Amino acid sequence: MYIRHMKIYFAGSIRGGRDEEDVYLQIIDHLSTFGEVLTEHIGGKHIEKIEKNNSDNYIFNRDIMWLKTSSVIVADVTVPSLGVGYEIGFAETLNIPILCLYNPKNKGMLSAMLSGNKDLFCKEYNDINEAKQLINEFFINNVIEKK
């Protein structure tokens, strides 16, 4: 169901912790069936080392540019991250559809700033297949339908 010109921004924790790194890679792979994932490097095994070569200012400006050109944001918010929270807030000001995925196992509760925001689509998943199904539903009901 690849949609030409669809730009997808995937957000996941880098400096906040890489506990879900393998899940990120699988989500990114699935998202790539819908369009171009601008942030596919988030799923990389050595992202911390790669990004260490870039200044904080470079990363900020690059990511803001990507956010401004994105059609949709998908964020895995299982691992709390200040950067991901900032990206979600920034994308919200741009009126970009935002899906926040969260695996509740052993992680505590999702922040009320996300779960209480009715402009976000926050969905819990228990395994990667459930996450993929939620992504499919989100794209069909909130992205593709509006094009």
Side-chain angles (χ1 to χ4, degrees), residues 8-57:
I8 303 164
Y9 190 100
F10 174 76
S13 176
I14 297 175
R15 293 182 183 178
R18 298 294 291 165
D19 297 353
E20 301 297 312
E21 179 176 281
D22 293 333
V23 174
Y24 296 169
L25 188 57
Q26 293 177 71
I27 289 173
I28 290 165
D29 185 55
H30 186 67
L31 289 172
S32 69
T33 65
F34 291 97
E36 178 188 2
V37 181
L38 300 173
T39 54
E40 65 184 5
H41 65 287
I42 301 297
K45 292 282 184 196
H46 304 289
I47 185 70
E48 301 100 322
K49 290 179 185 175
I50 294 167
E51 289 288 64
K52 200 175 204 176
N53 296 326
N54 296 321
S55 71
D56 288 355
N57 188 257

Side-chain angles (χ1 to χ4, degrees), residues 17-105:
R18 298 294 291 165
D19 297 353
E20 301 297 312
E21 179 176 281
D22 293 333
V23 174
Y24 296 169
L25 188 57
Q26 293 177 71
I27 289 173
I28 290 165
D29 185 55
H30 186 67
L31 289 172
S32 69
T33 65
F34 291 97
E36 178 188 2
V37 181
L38 300 173
T39 54
E40 65 184 5
H41 65 287
I42 301 297
K45 292 282 184 196
H46 304 289
I47 185 70
E48 301 100 322
K49 290 179 185 175
I50 294 167
E51 289 288 64
K52 200 175 204 176
N53 296 326
N54 296 321
S55 71
D56 288 355
N57 188 257
Y58 172 83
I59 293 169
F60 174 82
N61 288 320
R62 177 199 63 198
D63 290 3
I64 291 297
M65 179 193 65
W66 281 339
L67 282 164
K68 287 179 178 179
T69 64
S70 295
S71 309
V72 61
I73 310 299
V74 176
D76 189 308
V77 295
T78 302
V79 177
S81 165
L82 293 172
V84 173
Y86 185 92
E87 291 164 332
I88 291 168
F90 189 86
E92 188 177 11
T93 67
L94 300 173
N95 295 313
I96 299 171
I98 304 166
L99 172 62
C100 295
L101 296 171
Y102 174 73
N103 189 327
K105 66 177 179 186

Side-chain angles (χ1 to χ4, degrees), residues 39 127 145:
T39 54
D127 60 46
E145 206 172 82

Side-chain angles (χ1 to χ4, degrees), residues 121-138:
F121 298 90
C122 293
K123 301 291 182 183
E124 286 188 5
Y125 70 93
N126 294 298
D127 60 46
I128 191 61
N129 290 326
E130 191 175 358
K132 289 177 182 179
Q133 183 59 39
L134 291 167
I135 290 167
N136 292 347
E137 291 170 9
F138 175 74

